Amino acid sequence: MDYRGLEAYFRSLDRSFFLEDDMKEYAAYDSPLPIGFGQTISQPSLVLEMTKLLAPEHDSKVLEIGTGSGFQTALLAKMSGKVFTVERIAELSQKAEERLNSMNFTNIFYKVGDGSLGWAEHAPYDRIMVTAAARVVPDELISQLAPGGRMVIPVGPPDVQELRVITKAADGRLQVESAGMVRFVELKGRYGWGE
Ligand code: SAM
């Protein structure tokens, strides 16, 4: 991955563009902020760190679970070939799509639904990024990850989770590493914490 290109693009992104008017003044804080519907835009430094852990290549096909504001989606779309992003809250998905369209992205595909089930139609994915706290690693996401692929996913209870980096070898074997503890909003749906 082009780390310098990633960091330069990250610095160029105006986070206030991804926030509602009443939150724009806080955009520069390195903290999560409300985006409505009880959801948050993630802490920018964590978005950058997770993107580095995911290490997309310029031609990677990426699945993102939890579109939210679209901030992380922009970074992924800039650094990879195609991004398939799933959000369960239709209003958030629509707003993110409007923002990202206005930034002239043409390599992002949007779905409203339970992303804990992945997006089977376009699988397999070279990279999978989950930006909400899963109860367990969803079987569907493991099976939709391509051989040689990598997934970044926070797993654990609502108050604190382990950030896991899961790689799938060419023979399908999985390797799981811990990248520390994080705190995300809950993943809902079949592999999440209920509705
Ligand atoms: N990455 C986003 C950003 O940059 O703004 C922040 C994502 S926010 C921490 C987590 C998002 O995951 C929320 O928008 C939430 O609605 C969504 N979410 C939770 N459970 C989901 C599910 N089962 N399928 C799809 N999206 C889900």
Side-chain angles (χ1 to χ4, degrees), residues 130-147:
V130 182
T131 65
R135 188 168 42 80
V136 293
V137 180
D139 291 341
E140 279 84 348
L141 295 187
I142 293 288
S143 64
Q144 291 174 29
L145 186 64

Side-chain angles (χ1 to χ4, degrees), residues 54 128 130 137 141-142 145 149-153 164-166:
L54 192 72
I128 299 180
V130 182
V137 180
L141 295 187
I142 293 288
L145 186 64
R150 180 190 298 245
M151 170 162 38
V152 173
I153 179 169
R164 294 190 193 162
V165 181
I166 300 172

Side-chain angles (χ1 to χ4, degrees), residues 30-48:
D30 189 27
S31 63
L33 291 170
I35 55 171
F37 307 93
Q39 305 305 320
T40 54
I41 186 172
S42 307
Q43 183 181 357
S45 57
L46 184 56
V47 172
L48 181 62

